[in-house]
Amino acid sequence: MSPLKSFVLLILCAASAPAQQQPKPGDMQVRVNYMNVCSPSDADKKEIVSALERIPSAPRFGPEFEIARGRSTAPDAPIASWVRVRREFPPEVPLINAQYSVSLDAQDIIETVVFRWREPKDVMQVSIEDSVSNVASPATVVSTDTPASRIRIERFGKPSLGLSRCAQADQTSYESVFAAASRVMSRYRAALGVRESVPPELARLGQGSSQPAKSQKPKAKSQ
């Protein structure tokens, strides 16, 4: 190959290199937001507390409601039975609805209360959860004010915020937040009437048999 041809080939290779490095039109960019649920920052903690405080302490519901029950399956997971109770707020309340659900499989019983905002300018949804081992009858769990073990705040246009019980972390400074979330769960168990409406629905799913009740403690979630 002549020196001129070698020089031209070198220029062509150098010119094509940037084009090869440019992303293709079909390439997707994946952005991952890490959420520290064991030890959220002071600013995140403040926002979580603020969202909890905005949930009405004396709820007044409209006439709309829903009670549903069913079973769910997933690959490589046990069959889960669930009951859901939802009540709608009147238009003048900033929240759309409050929803309680209890789900149980062969290992765990999980209670969740979800609140959805009507105009999600900042907060879209707040969910509070507790989880206990399936060692007692579901009706016993429903009738007990099990402490909250997980809080999640879905925000409009921003990453979610969360706080969960973690066995490996010192969460002394977050006890007041867990206590506030537990109070909200307790109020809405009563307001939604779950102690009266949920056990009969669980019984229809074959989940009403009594077993010796044991001490129930919130499960710490490992990260």
Side-chain angles (χ1 to χ4, degrees):
M1 182 179 293
S2 66
L4 179 58
K5 289 183 178 180
S6 299
F7 180 73
V8 172
L9 180 61
L10 179 62
I11 293 177
L12 291 175
C13 291
S16 63
Q20 293 175 356
Q21 296 174 359
Q22 293 179 356
K24 298 178 181 179
D27 289 347
M28 295 181 60
Q29 293 184 353
V30 179
R31 182 176 180 179
V32 178
N33 292 311
Y34 173 74
M35 183 167 58
N36 184 358
V37 298
C38 293
S39 303
S41 67
D42 290 341
D44 290 349
K45 174 184 173 182
K46 185 177 180 180
E47 285 204 45
I48 293 172
V49 172
S50 175
L52 292 174
E53 290 176 344
R54 292 168 59 187
I55 298 172
S57 58
R60 180 171 59 87
F61 296 117
E64 299 89 353
F65 73 94
E66 175 193 65
I67 300 177
R69 67 180 184 273
R71 289 192 179 93
S72 300
T73 60
D76 302 321
I79 297 175
S81 300
W82 54 267
V83 175
R84 181 174 64 235
V85 179
R86 191 186 74 236
R87 293 293 304 268
E88 306 293 322
F89 287 100
E92 61 270 19
V93 178
L95 277 67
I96 298 176
N97 55 46
Q99 177 177 291
Y100 167 93
S101 64
V102 58
S103 176
L104 59 148
D105 56 28
Q107 297 178 340
D108 300 312
I109 301 176
I110 299 174
E111 292 182 290
T112 308
V113 181
V114 178
F115 304 90
R116 297 181 178 87
W117 259 251
R118 193 175 302 278
E119 295 183 3
K121 295 179 180 179
D122 47 4
V123 176
M124 300 173 60
Q125 178 175 293
V126 174
S127 63
I128 307 171
E129 177 185 301
D130 68 61
S131 178
V132 298
S133 298
N134 192 354
V135 296
S137 70
T140 301
V141 175
V142 170
S143 64
T144 304
D145 284 330
T146 307
S149 58
R150 186 172 184 267
I151 308 159
R152 185 179 179 91
I153 313 295
E154 302 288 348
R155 301 185 296 175
F156 183 78
K158 296 180 181 180
S160 302
L161 301 176
L163 175 63
S164 296
R165 286 288 185 188
C166 301
Q168 75 277 18
D170 180 4
Q171 297 186 305
T172 305
S173 61
Y174 303 102
E175 290 302 327
S176 60
V177 185
F178 283 116
S182 297
R183 288 193 294 270
V184 172
M185 286 198 78
S186 177
R187 284 197 296 265
Y188 277 83
R189 282 191 192 96
L192 293 167
V194 301
R195 291 185 174 94
E196 296 77 29
S197 60
V198 172
E201 301 299 328
L202 288 170
R204 292 184 176 92
L205 293 169
Q207 301 292 342
S209 59
S210 298
Q211 300 177 24
K214 298 182 181 180
S215 176
Q216 298 169 21
K217 296 180 180 180
K219 296 177 64 179
K221 297 194 174 186
S222 300
Q223 300 299 315

